[in-house]
Amino acid sequence: MQSDAIIRFEGPEDRAQYRRPAERPGVEFYRARIRDHRFEAHSHEAYGLGVITDGLGRFRWRGGEHLAPQASLMLMNPADLHTGQSADAGCWAYHMVYLDEDLLPAYGGDRSWRFDAAVSGSPAQAQAVARCMRALWLAREPLAVDSLLLELVELIRPQARVQGRPAEAAGRFEPVLDFMRSQLDQPMSLEQLAAVAGLSPFHFLRSFRAQHHATPQQVLMALRSFEAKRLLALGQAPAEVAAATGFTDQSHLTRSLLCRYGVTPAAYQRQLGLPGARRTR
């Protein structure tokens, strides 16, 4: 049984909820209303399909600042690094569905889909997506979840393009990202990563930042945080997850998840209805 408890942040008006349909691994639903919290740079390693339902959001993506107004779509590619916060004194509210890259074709999409604009869509399209996401949040029958996901992917289709071969610069850093993912529990050096890319250390540092709009350390912490959240969703104990993903201790893991995803390990597991999850604020 999934829990619909609300995560509350340090700001009295900030709140968020996570839910995963137990019968469909690779899918996560998220909705939030944020006024004060500022999400540090993070990624989801999945397609992020979202809609802004209220207010105005601001986030950094691909090296630029972007605004996400009410009645617009917010679309993220797997591993897109981004921040997030309210852009004014009011609350910014949005719904997201995260779909694993390998799962998208099952719902009529394409594994090579890419979004060139993080904020797009007409108000009418955004309203249709919002209705679909509200229904998804309430759906408990597996057939209803799958049917609504099929509808959601169809609604998003006009915003997607099929990706061709990656540019040479992007391709050069794919082995570096794979190396990071394979060694998350180990300390890493600039020299190690540069050797994987076949570049001198400081040439690598400059080129990596130019390509990813983030330093290697920022990307590494985003990858560690995402993998930690994935392991927590499998029911692993927070202390074990911290050790497996390269955090110094459980407190370090808690700070990282709170900054990047707005949730502590215990609260996240509690929202997913995992047995043994501690009751927290």
Side-chain angles (χ1 to χ4, degrees):
M1 184 73 177
Q2 303 277 5
S3 169
D4 287 339
I6 296 176
I7 299 166
R8 297 189 184 277
F9 301 78
E10 63 278 7
E13 295 188 50
D14 296 347
R15 58 196 63 192
Q17 292 174 279
Y18 284 90
R19 189 169 81 83
R20 288 192 176 208
E23 70 286 344
R24 188 58 66 214
V27 180
E28 184 169 78
F29 305 146
Y30 175 70
R31 61 185 183 182
R33 187 171 184 83
I34 304 297
R35 193 189 74 173
D36 299 316
H37 189 77
R38 297 186 177 192
F39 294 94
E40 290 189 12
H42 63 283
S43 65
H44 296 276
E45 299 284 301
Y47 287 101
L49 313 177
V51 61
I52 312 305
T53 57
D54 196 15
L56 180 66
R58 180 191 304 277
F59 62 96
R60 188 165 182 80
W61 177 75
R62 294 187 181 178
E65 293 287 336
H66 302 266
L67 294 175
Q70 182 180 3
S72 63
L73 301 180
M74 189 163 64
L75 305 171
M76 294 287 175
N77 303 299
D80 273 359
L81 205 66
H82 59 285
T83 62
Q85 65 185 86
S86 176
D88 55 28
C91 286
W92 175 43
Y94 56 100
H95 286 218
M96 299 293 298
V97 170
Y98 298 107
L99 278 179
D100 281 3
E101 196 167 6
D102 291 337
L103 192 59
L104 184 63
Y107 296 104
D110 191 300
R111 196 178 186 280
S112 61
W113 268 14
R114 288 299 180 267
F115 303 115
D116 292 325
V119 180
S120 62
S122 66
Q125 186 183 18
Q127 288 167 9
V129 169
R131 285 194 297 269
C132 185
M133 288 193 173
R134 284 194 293 269
L136 269 169
W137 189 270
L138 297 173
R140 292 299 185 268
E141 188 173 6
L143 181 60
V145 170
D146 285 332
S147 298
L148 287 163
L149 286 173
L150 182 70
E151 179 183 342
L152 176 64
V153 170
E154 193 60 33
L155 287 169
I156 296 296
R157 182 182 299 278
Q159 265 48 62
R161 67 171 176 84
V162 176
Q163 176 180 256
R165 294 182 61 186
E168 182 180 353
R172 164 165 274 173
F173 294 122
E174 280 302 315
V176 176
L177 298 179
D178 290 341
F179 177 81
M180 286 181 173
R181 292 185 184 103
S182 71
Q183 306 284 326
L184 290 177
D185 62 335
Q186 299 296 318
M188 295 185 195
S189 70
L190 177 60
E191 287 74 16
Q192 274 182 304
L193 299 181
V196 174
L199 298 172
S200 65
F202 289 99
H203 184 195
F204 164 77
L205 187 63
R206 293 191 300 271
S207 301
F208 186 96
R209 178 166 185 147
Q211 176 63 36
H212 292 281
H213 310 290
T215 66
Q217 176 66 14
Q218 288 173 317
V219 171
L220 175 61
M221 291 305 296
L223 292 175
R224 281 175 169 160
S225 299
F226 174 81
E227 177 62 8
K229 193 160 76 73
R230 188 187 73 82
L231 294 177
L232 289 166
L234 295 177
Q236 293 192 23
E240 295 174 0
V241 171
T245 51
F247 291 97
T248 54
D249 53 29
Q250 188 173 331
S251 295
H252 187 197
L253 169 64
T254 297
R255 291 194 301 273
S256 183
L257 290 196
L258 190 57
C259 288
R260 291 171 173 84
Y261 296 110
V263 62
T264 65
Y268 182 61
Q269 291 188 318
R270 189 178 71 252
Q271 285 211 353
L272 300 187
L274 296 174
R278 285 193 299 115
R279 172 65 56 181
T280 61
R281 172 175 171 267

